[in-house]
């Protein structure tokens, strides 16, 4: 007699070690799992809703300054350290984990116009209204020692900005002209001018470290090569550019924060047309900083809000504001790309999450998988109206909201007028200028 | 009795004629001198002369040209009564006999000697020749005195006919009362009808039915003739039930209940109740006939339970027209009415009956309607027959029957009017529902055939088998047979029309069928009943099931629903016609066909429906608004074709549908950053170039895109350290 028995290969279900995961047999037959799209849609919808539910970006407010915060600087080696300069000449060093000021320096008389750290993180430079450039040690003075700068350089004119080279002991200041300094010397290596107006900001390219860009109050952005004695080229815009920010992942991309409420992302090889015009602010944009991933940047505006823009989108993906936050003067994206700091008029430095609904702290692998999955679902169904509507919803203060409405009307009126002009004039006589090109006056080499 | 009736009718006729005569007389007398009338007379004379050319026609002249002639009461013209007898006329019959030849000869001789003068025409006689005669004539005419020798002067007759003032007043008062009563009852009925409470009506109906039964029982004991009349009424109610099929499951309520019955116990019960009621209503006559039968049986035994009068009436009932026996019975009651003081009612009633007799061939429903119409019109017209109607109006139950009958008549009328249309619609829709509706019609067919004494025989047959079951057996098998017939009948559309026609014919030929005792009907009925009894149980059950799930045809409902959906989804033509443009406009004026044709935009036929070849599926091709809120309206930016987008959406990324590895790959974010790690700016070394920044830049400028991709990769590496 033959006896039939079930026989299984133990390899299929027996773990080799105790630490191995249990094998869970699973049938992926699609008929057993119907309604893929609707189910995923619901999941996406839920994820979107949860995202909005958990969107609480504001983390902390660092107060201690006795005047408006004028400039911010990141520590190149420590994530927890932030430096800030105020309008009363005071520089403070903050510890973000403790959310406390760890050191206060009365650096200048008058405004601290600019602050930057050395690439090694051992010292930092400040410029102020008192026509001096000062270098400070990052570590505080030891007991009984007086708080004094390492070096002080007395200049002839007021310096309005400073930036340090990313790899070498060279820094650049701006004022009447762009000066490039060696740390060891009291005179600039070279000074470059193009035009006569004062230059408001200068920034080194983080990748192509010899390149630097500056923006002047005569509405132009000038690019320099440190190895040449003359500037490379400049682009003239409609209005003044307050500052520029280089993309840390793409060497030739920079974004200019303009007075005309817009931000312009340029490819430095083709300055005649910006890559993207970022519009959402309703007042002058004062500062811009790139995320270290190079995917997004944050902008601070006079309209009391900061916005996060994807590099390739003309509209912001996020807007942060609080009731007490006044005109935001400076903004920085931390080096781990997780947080945003902004210094504003009302003497506070605020810490925000770069991703509003992100869970802080260590995630388990399952949590991570879930968030990844949710993120993917949101991305997949982002065009569906319900999801779109929910994910796009933001609360705005009334002032900003009404200003947005107003500007929309103005813009519409302008557009209509243009259309009418085209309609009622000889065909071809009126040139249609695209939004990107509209704001560029000229490119000079 | 019939003889006396004939006499009465004749009398009435003669009186009528007299009444007609009177005004004629007047007009003649007044227009005697006129030339027109003179001319007419001449013309008449000429005609007479022509007609008299052949002597035979002379006697046929029946027209009376003179009003003042003595009129016989038998409507026979007395033309020539004043003339002398002509000899030759008398001689005509004896032409053949030879024995009188001598006498004949003598006579001819006499004739040849002297011509006999033709008698003067009557008018000639009457014509006043001398002034004296004229005067006398005038006088006579003024006083309406008969010129020849009449019995009564018209004035005398009029005075005889006129009634006294009191009498007239009384009659008027009576009439008023009757009218008031009628209006009162009508108003009351209307008010009662207006009451919306269903329960009230139900209770009322039940109460009435009970009361009617009680009354009937009482009447049966007291006055069997009246009881029979009541019986008739009951029968009528049954007929009505059969015609209206009020309690069949064809009504709106019943249909809704039938749908509900599947799920709702109460609804099912209600339906059963209704069916039971239907059965009860349709069976009522059987009980009656049964009783009749019993009576008959008793009669055979020689012990009459009911007086002979009943049988008499029944015999009458068997008479030519079943619809007419009501009239006959009313005739029977008429002597009582005749006893009333007014003699005027008499001729009026007869007139009515006569007119009804004339209308024998007309369809029954019309008769029904006319009967009441005439009654009412008579009441209004003569104003004398008020009392005729009043006993009926006093009886509330009869009033109800009356109103019901009126309603029925109206319905019938409407049905007749609509039948053509119905046929068309039946042919067009051809639904099974129509067939279902026809089912009761067929059912109706048989009881009408079996209604009369023939059934007694079948019942006799049934009696042998068992009395108790017969009632049910008669009802159920018939329905079962019908069910079978329905099954055998394919549900084609054409089936509906002949049935409809058949029913119509039935209505007309009913009397023929009933009047002629058809043995064929008998022979038909007997075997079926026998047959039916054999597998009665089976059918019983089937019938039960059928009743329980009556009107619960899911498949047909679905088919109908689908048809409707298809119709609704068809694109409709757009009519852009503006009335009043280029032509006259206004209320009731329609734009011309030409214009309509011109401005009618025919929408092209859409693509074939997706469910065209799926008989048991309805695929709605309409946009679902609720779903649309969740659907993407415009193709999003990076996609160039909707299929691309659809494919991305349709590919599931969850771990439910993908293996773990695939899931991880699919859900991996583009940029991964480690918390707490500084992300440094990208460097040329990261991308794999030498540190010479100069060359780097050149490479970048040559191929920026490639670098950007590498940058992305680099980013991840960066994030790691």
């Amino acid at each position: 007699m033959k006896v039939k028995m079930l026989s299984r290969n133990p390899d299929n279900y027996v773990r080799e070690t105790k630490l191995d995961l249990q094998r869970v047999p699973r049938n992926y037959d699609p008929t057993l799992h119907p309604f893929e799209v609707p189910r995923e849609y619901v999941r996406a919808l839920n994820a979107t809703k949860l995202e909005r539910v958990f969107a609480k970006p504001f983390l902390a407010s660092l107060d201690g300054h006795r005047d408006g915060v004028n400039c911010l600087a990141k520590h190149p080696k420590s994530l927890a350290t932030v430096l800030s300069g105020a309008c009363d000449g005071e520089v403070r060093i903050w510890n973000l984990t403790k959310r406390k000021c760890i050191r206060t320096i009365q650096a200048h008389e008058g405004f601290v116009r600019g602050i930057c750290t050395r690439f090694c993180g051992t010292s930092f430079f400040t410029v102020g209204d008192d026509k001096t450039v000062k270098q400070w040690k990052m570590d505080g003075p030891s007991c009984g020692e007086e708080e004094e700068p390492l070096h002080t350089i007395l200049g002839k004119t007021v310096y309005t900005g400073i930036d340090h080279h990313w790899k070498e002991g060279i820094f650049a200041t701006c004022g009447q002209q762009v000066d490039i300094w060696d740390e060891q010397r009291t005179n600039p290596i070279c000074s470059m001018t193009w035009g006569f107006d004062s230059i408001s900001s200068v920034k080194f390219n983080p990748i192509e470290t010899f390149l630097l860009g500056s923006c002047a109050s005569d509405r132009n952005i000038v690019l320099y090569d440190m190895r040449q004695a003359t500037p490379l080229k400049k682009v003239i815009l409609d209005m003044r550019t307050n500052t520029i920010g280089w993309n840390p992942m793409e060497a030739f991309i920079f974004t200019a924060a303009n007075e005309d409420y817009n931000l312009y992302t340029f490819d430095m090889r083709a300055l005649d047309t910006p890559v993207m015009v970022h519009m959402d602010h309703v007042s002058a944009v004062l500062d811009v900083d790139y995320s270290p991933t190079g995917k997004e940047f944050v902008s601070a505006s006079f309209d009391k809000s900061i916005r996060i823009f994807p590099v390739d989108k003309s509209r912001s993906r996020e807007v942060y504001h609080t009731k007490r936050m006044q005109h935001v003067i400076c903004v920085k994206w931390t080096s781990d790309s997780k947080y945003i700091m902004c210094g504003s008029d009302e003497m506070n430095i605020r810490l925000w999450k770069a991703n509003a609904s992100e869970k802080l702290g260590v995630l388990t692998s399952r949590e991570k998988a879930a968030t990844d999955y949710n993120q993917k679902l949101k991305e997949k169904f982002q065009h569906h109206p319900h999801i779109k509507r929910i994910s796009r919803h933001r609360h705005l203060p009334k002032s900003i909201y009404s200003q947005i409405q107003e500007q929309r009307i103005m813009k519409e009126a302008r557009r209509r007028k243009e259309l009418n002009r085209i309609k009622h004039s000889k065909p071809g006589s009126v040139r249609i200028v695209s939004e990107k090109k509209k704001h560029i006056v000229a490119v000079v080499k | 009795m019939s003889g006396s009736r004939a006499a009465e009718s004749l009398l009435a006729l003669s009186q009528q004629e007299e009444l007609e005569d009177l005004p004629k007389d007047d007009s003649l007398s007044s227009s005697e001198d006129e030339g027109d009338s003179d001319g007419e007379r001449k013309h008449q004379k000429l005609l007479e002369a022509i007609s008299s050319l052949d002597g035979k026609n002379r006697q046929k002249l029946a027209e009376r040209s003179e009003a003042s002639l003595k009129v016989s009461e038998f409507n026979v013209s007395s033309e020539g009564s004043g003339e002398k007898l002509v000899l030759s006329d008398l001689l005509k019959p004896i032409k053949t006999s030879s024995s009188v030849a001598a006498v004949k000869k003598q006579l001819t001789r006499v004739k040849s000697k002297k011509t006999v003068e033709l008698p003067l025409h009557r008018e000639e006689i009457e014509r006043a020749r001398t002034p004296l005669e004229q005067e006398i004539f005038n006088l006579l005419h003024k006083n309406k005195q008969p010129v020849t020798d009449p019995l009564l002067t018209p004035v005398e007759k009029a005075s005889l006919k006129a009634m006294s003032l009191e009498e007239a007043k009384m009659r008027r008062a009576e009439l008023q009362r009757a009218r008031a009563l009628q209006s009162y009852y009508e108003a009351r009925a209307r008010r009662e009808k207006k009451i919306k409470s269903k329960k009230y009506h139900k209770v009322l109906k039940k109460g009435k039915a009970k009361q009617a039964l009680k009354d009937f029982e009482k009447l049966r004991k007291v006055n069997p003739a009246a009881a029979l009349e009541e019986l008739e009424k009951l029968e009528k109610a049954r007929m009505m039930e059969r015609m209206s099929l009020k309690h069949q499951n064809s009504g709106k309520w019943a249909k809704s209940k039938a749908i509900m019955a599947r799920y709702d116990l109460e609804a099912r019960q209600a339906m059963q109740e209704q069916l039971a009621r239907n059965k009860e209503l349709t069976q009522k006559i059987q009980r009656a006939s049964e009783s009749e039968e019993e009576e008959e049986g008793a009669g055979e035994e020689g012990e009459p339970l009911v007086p002979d009068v009943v049988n008499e009436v029944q015999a009458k009932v068997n008479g030519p027209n079943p619809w007419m026996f009501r009239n006959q019975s009313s005739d029977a009651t008429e002597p009582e009415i005749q006893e009333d003081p007014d003699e005027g009612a008499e001729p009026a009633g007869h007139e009515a009956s006569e007119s009804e007799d004339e209308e024998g061939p007309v369809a029954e429903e019309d008769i029904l309607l006319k009967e009441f119409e005439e009654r009412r019109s008579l009441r209004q017209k003569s104003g004398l027959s008020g009392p005729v109607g009043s006993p009926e109006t006093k009886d509330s139950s009869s009033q109800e029957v009356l109103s019901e009958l009126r309603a029925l008549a109206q319905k019938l009328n409407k049905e007749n009017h609509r039948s053509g249309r119905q046929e068309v619609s039946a042919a067009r829709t051809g639904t099974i529902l129509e067939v279902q509706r026809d089912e009761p019609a067929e059912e109706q067919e048989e009881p009408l055939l079996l209604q009369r004494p023939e059934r007694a025989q079948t019942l006799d047959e049934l009696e042998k088998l068992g009395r108790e079951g017969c009632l049910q057996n008669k009802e159920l098998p018939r329905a079962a047979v019908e069910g079978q017939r329905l099954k055998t009948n394919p549900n084609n559309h054409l089936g509906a029309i002949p049935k409809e026609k058949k029913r119509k014919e039935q209505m007309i030929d009913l009397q023929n069928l009933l009047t002629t005792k058809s043995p064929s009907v008998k022979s038909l009925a007997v075997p079926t009943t026998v047959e039916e009894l054999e597998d009665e149980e089976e059918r019983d059950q089937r019938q039960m099931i059928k009743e329980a799930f009556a009107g619960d045809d899911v498949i047909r409902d679905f088919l109908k629903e689908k048809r409707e959906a298809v119709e609704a989804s068809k694109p409709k033509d757009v009519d852009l016609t503006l009335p009043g443009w280029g032509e006259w406009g206004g209320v009731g004026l329609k734009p011309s066909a030409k214009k309509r044709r011109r401005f009618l935009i025919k929408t092209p036929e859409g693509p074939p429906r997706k469910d065209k070849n799926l008989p048991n599926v309805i695929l709605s091709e309409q946009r679902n608004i609720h779903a649309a809120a969740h659907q993407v309206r415009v193709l999003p930016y990076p996609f160039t074709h909707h299929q691309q987008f659809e494919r991305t959406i349709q590919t599931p990324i969850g771990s439910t549908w993908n293996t773990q590895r695939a899931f991880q790959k699919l859900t991996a974010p583009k940029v991964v950053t480690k918390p707490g790690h500084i992300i440094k700016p990208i460097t040329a070394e990261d991308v794999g170039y030498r540190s010479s920044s100069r060359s780097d830049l050149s490479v970048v400028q040559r191929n920026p895109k490639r670098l950007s991709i590498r940058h992305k990769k680099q980013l991840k590496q960066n994030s790691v350290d």
Side-chain angles (χ1 to χ4, degrees), chain A residues 254-325:
Chain A
F254 67 91
T255 300
N258 204 277
E259 281 280 309
D260 63 358
Y261 316 162
N262 294 337
L263 291 121
Y264 301 95
T265 300
F266 284 100
D267 187 331
M268 60 178 267
R269 297 163 297 182
L271 287 174
D272 53 342
T273 313
V275 175
M276 192 61 70
V277 181
H278 309 275
M279 305 176 285
D280 254 349
H281 281 296
V282 287
S283 195
V285 188
L286 300 179
D287 199 9
V288 64
D289 191 38
Y290 262 90
S291 146
T293 58
K295 296 280 171 198
E296 290 169 327
F297 61 84
V298 63
S299 64
S301 168
F302 199 73
D303 63 9
K304 305 175 187 176
S305 71
I306 58 175
R307 281 178 187 270
I308 300 168
F309 291 90
V311 174
D312 51 352
K313 297 270 159 59
S314 72
R315 295 286 170 173
S316 62
R317 77 155 170 85
E318 198 74 78
V319 57
Y320 292 158
H321 57 87
T322 59
K323 230 175 190 176
R324 295 184 179 180
M325 189 163 75

Side-chain angles (χ1 to χ4, degrees), chain A residues 26 28 33 36 40-41 43 77 79 207 210 227 248-249 252 269 335-336 372-373 376 380 383-386, chain B residues 629-631 636 648-649 651-659 666-667 676-679 682 693 700 704 711:
Chain A
R26 220 172 122 44
Y28 290 103
H33 308 287
E36 305 100 332
E40 290 217 313
Y41 174 77
R43 285 177 195 177
K77 299 288 177 193
L79 278 172
I207 305 160
F210 301 110
R227 295 159 296 187
M249 289 294 156
F252 32 80
R269 297 163 297 182
S335 308
D336 61 348
D372 286 353
Y373 180 44
K376 214 68 188 176
K380 184 181 169 186
H383 303 292
H384 286 71
H386 260 195
Chain B
H630 295 271
Q631 283 170 340
T648 57
I649 293 297
T651 326
I653 52 171
S655 57
T656 323
W657 300 275
N658 296 296
T659 57
L666 281 167
T667 57
H677 283 248
I678 291 167
I679 302 164
I682 202 164
S693 60
V700 164
H711 272 173

Side-chain angles (χ1 to χ4, degrees), chain A residues 110-153:
Chain A
F111 280 39
V112 179
R113 287 290 174 186
I115 188 167
C116 68
T117 52
R118 203 171 181 273
F119 61 92
C120 58
T122 51
S123 63
F124 63 92
F125 297 85
T126 56
V127 289
D129 273 354
D130 53 359
K131 301 177 189 176
T132 53
V133 181
K134 288 178 178 171
Q135 187 186 10
W136 306 84
K137 268 179 77 176
M138 194 63 83
D139 304 323
S142 50
C143 231
E145 210 175 318
E146 217 173 306
E147 186 78 84
E148 277 200 351
L150 285 174
H151 300 284
T152 307
I153 302 164

